[in-house]
Amino acid sequence: MADKESSDTSFSSSQASNPLSRKLNKILETRLDNDKEMLEALKALSVFFSENSLRTRRNLRSDIERRSLVINEDFLQVFQSVKEQLDSVYNDVKSMNECCQDMTSRLKAAKEQTHDLINQTTKLQSESQTLQVKAQVADAFLEKFQLKPEEATALRGSRDGTLHMDFFRALGKAKEIHKHCKILLRTNQQTAGLEIMETMALHQESAYERLYRWAQNECRMLTGDSPDVSSMLCQAMEALEDRPVLFRYTLDEFGTARRTAVVRGLIDALTRGGPGGTPRPIELHSHDPTRYVGDMLAWLHQAAASEKEQLQSLLKKCRSNGEQIQDILGHITEGVCRPFKVRVEQVLVSEQDAVTLYKLHNLLKFYHNTICQIICKDAALLNTVAEIQDLSHRMFFNSLNCNANKLLDKVELPPSDLGPTNSLNQTLQLLKDVLACHDASVVAIDDKKQDYKQILSCVIDPLVQMCSVSASRLNSTDMAAYMANCIYLMQTTLAMYEFTDTRLEMLQAQVDAQIDTLVSEQASFVLNKVGLAFVYGTVQQHQPKQGPLSALPDMGGPVLKSAMSKFDSYMASPDSLVLPQSRLLLSGRVRETVKKNSADLICSAYKQIYDTICDPANEYKESPSIVPRTPDQVVRLLS
């Protein structure tokens, strides 16, 4: 056994020392899957090693070396052409380098030769740029601070004196330059600023003078009925606003021209009428005062509105305030004051009818308030209308006072039916007409209240006084009935109008006084007719110390029974005993009041008589037969 193990060991050692064995072992131990280089080599070998024979294996090295040699020869051949091309490129680059060096040397030589010229050219270019900037600045300065020749020509204008829009543009530029010169004065260019400002001031003064003359001539020609205010004139007024004196003079010229035109227009409207005779001349309606004065006022209102519109059109581009417009408008309308005032005063002085005078007063008041919305309150036209309105107011109340004086100078006697007199009816009709005019007028409520108060004082108070004087010769009953009828008519007239409550209350107080008189007379009339007047008087005057009432003469039971029998007949037919004056009362309400209050008075008298007779102290033994009805029964029968 030991010999066997030793033999194996010797064999192993012999194998380890054998090179071939080591190579084989190395090859067998090699893993081709992980050896990429070996795999690539085997793949390359498989291309040309197609036959595995002894010869091919022996020649493998020489084949590989030969193949490598071929590859190197091919590589050398290919790179030979590349080298030739690179040599060509090198030669070209070399020649270009030589050319560039030559050019550089030549440029250097040229630069050395032209160095002074280049410096001079650069300096000139720099100076040229500076001059160009200065030229631009100069052009901008001239553009901003100088007028162009054509603009200066436009300011001087043409010989015919006409204006064009170029004039206003040039004037605007001159104003702009003059304003910009103030900026120069705050810099170190004060001399230039002063000179330019002086030049522009001269240009502006001559231009404004020319503009003023032109605008003045244009305004003088605006004398037609409907003048056309040109846009050029509006532009001129806007420009002249910088010269307040010239602006005001031009406005005055416009106002004078329009004033003449308005006066001529009013005269033509009064005497000639409109174009072609339509509308007809206002003077043709002079026989109708209301229409005559109304047409003149309507024309003045229309003229004032038209003139204000034209004035606003003239100054639409200006910054002028409303005071200037109102001032010129007042000057324009002042010319028509005198012809208008003379004609209206003639109408008012010659008119005697109070209704017509009051219509004219309301008409003047309405147009005064209407025209006041167009022109200022201090205008001469409004003052004239106010003066005429005051005159019409005085003439109207003059007429009412004259009518009242006539009523009191010749007082009519009351008619037999105790109704109103003709004077009362006529005066109340006049009052109706006046108040109807007042209701139709468009005036303020406060003015209406004041007018109502004055009118009623001028008409109602004299009427009441006239009625009192007229009834002074009548007895108390007739007077009460007559006064009640007259005041009733006054009440029915005033009840149709507003602001008459106070006056109606005063009249009602007077009616109540007349009703009291009629009630007293009616009660006395009934008591006298039934024979209870003496009884009632005796009952009122009897004193308990005089003894029993039945003991007095004419106060016995038979006398009282006879009177009570008549009183029963009256209660059966109360309307049989009515005062004739009560039947003449015009107011059913007053008649009913007299009837009711007199019945109450009679019932009160009967109650007093009844209580006295039924009193045991008066010793009437048959009192139930004397006064069979109680006071309550009498009240029910007479109510």
Side-chain angles (χ1 to χ4, degrees), residues 500-521:
T500 58
D501 295 340
T502 304
R503 182 63 61 171
L504 287 173
E505 291 177 0
M506 296 173 61
L507 293 176
Q508 185 60 42
Q510 298 187 29
V511 171
D512 292 341
Q514 307 304 329
I515 288 176
D516 292 342
T517 302
L518 290 174
V519 167
S520 177
E521 292 295 332

Side-chain angles (χ1 to χ4, degrees), residues 41 117 200 268 302 330 385 410 431 509 534:
L117 181 61
M200 291 303 111
D268 290 345
Q302 182 180 2
V385 175
K410 188 178 181 181
L431 180 62
F534 175 75

Side-chain angles (χ1 to χ4, degrees), residues 95-325:
S95 60
M96 289 176 64
N97 184 33
E98 294 175 353
C99 181
C100 288
Q101 290 179 355
D102 183 53
M103 291 178 64
T104 302
S105 59
R106 290 170 60 187
L107 286 173
K108 186 176 181 180
K111 185 177 181 180
E112 292 176 355
Q113 295 176 359
T114 59
H115 178 72
D116 295 337
L117 181 61
I118 291 173
N119 291 336
Q120 187 176 1
T121 303
T122 304
K123 183 179 179 181
L124 291 175
Q125 288 178 348
S126 177
E127 292 177 355
S128 175
Q129 292 176 355
T130 303
L131 290 176
Q132 287 180 358
V133 172
K134 289 183 178 180
Q136 292 176 356
V137 171
D139 292 340
F141 182 84
L142 292 176
E143 178 68 24
K144 197 171 187 64
F145 290 95
Q146 288 295 324
L147 294 175
K148 297 179 181 179
E150 57 271 17
E151 292 172 340
T153 303
L155 282 180
R156 288 193 296 270
S158 57
R159 294 182 179 180
D160 56 2
T162 58
L163 289 183
H164 302 284
M165 292 305 298
D166 294 340
F167 172 84
F168 296 103
R169 286 192 287 268
L171 180 59
K173 185 174 181 180
K175 291 164 57 178
E176 192 75 14
I177 292 172
H178 191 274
K179 183 174 68 174
H180 289 163
C181 286
K182 297 178 181 179
I183 301 175
L184 290 179
L185 294 178
R186 294 198 293 266
T187 64
N188 55 358
Q189 303 294 331
Q190 295 181 358
T191 304
L194 289 173
E195 292 179 356
I196 295 173
M197 185 178 288
E198 184 178 357
T199 303
M200 291 303 111
L202 294 175
H203 281 302
Q204 287 185 76
E205 291 304 320
S206 62
Y208 278 121
E209 182 67 23
R210 178 169 172 253
L211 182 61
Y212 166 66
R213 298 299 179 192
W214 180 86
Q216 193 178 39
N217 291 332
E218 288 291 317
C219 289
R220 286 173 181 171
M221 293 187 290
L222 297 177
T223 56
D225 293 336
S226 298
D228 184 17
V229 179
S230 64
S231 60
M232 191 78 71
L233 184 56
C234 297
Q235 189 81 17
M237 296 304 295
E238 180 186 13
L240 285 174
E241 200 171 12
D242 292 335
R243 295 293 186 272
V245 176
L246 300 181
F247 181 77
R248 181 65 189 185
Y249 285 166
T250 307
L251 277 182
D252 290 342
E253 197 68 40
F254 176 83
T256 302
R258 293 311 305 156
R259 174 172 176 163
T260 303
V262 170
V263 173
R264 186 181 66 250
L266 176 61
I267 301 302
D268 290 345
L270 288 170
T271 57
R272 299 174 58 184
T278 305
R280 300 177 67 189
I282 298 176
E283 295 283 4
L284 292 179
H285 306 294
S286 58
H287 62 281
D288 184 356
T290 305
R291 181 172 181 180
Y292 181 50
V293 176
D295 287 349
M296 283 192 288
L297 286 170
W299 191 93
L300 291 176
H301 172 249
Q302 182 180 2
S306 299
E307 294 303 320
K308 183 175 183 179
E309 183 178 351
Q310 291 168 6
L311 193 55
Q312 289 174 341
S313 176
L314 176 68
L315 302 178
K316 62 183 179 181
K317 294 183 179 181
C318 299
R319 304 181 302 274
S320 302
N321 51 28
E323 294 182 0
Q324 286 181 319
I325 294 178

Side-chain angles (χ1 to χ4, degrees), residues 358-376:
Y358 195 59
K359 286 181 179 179
L360 293 175
H361 171 67
N362 288 332
L363 194 64
L364 288 164
K365 183 182 293 186
F366 168 73
Y367 274 102
H368 181 274
N369 294 334
T370 304
I371 298 175
C372 186
Q373 300 174 7
I374 300 174
I375 59 180
C376 65

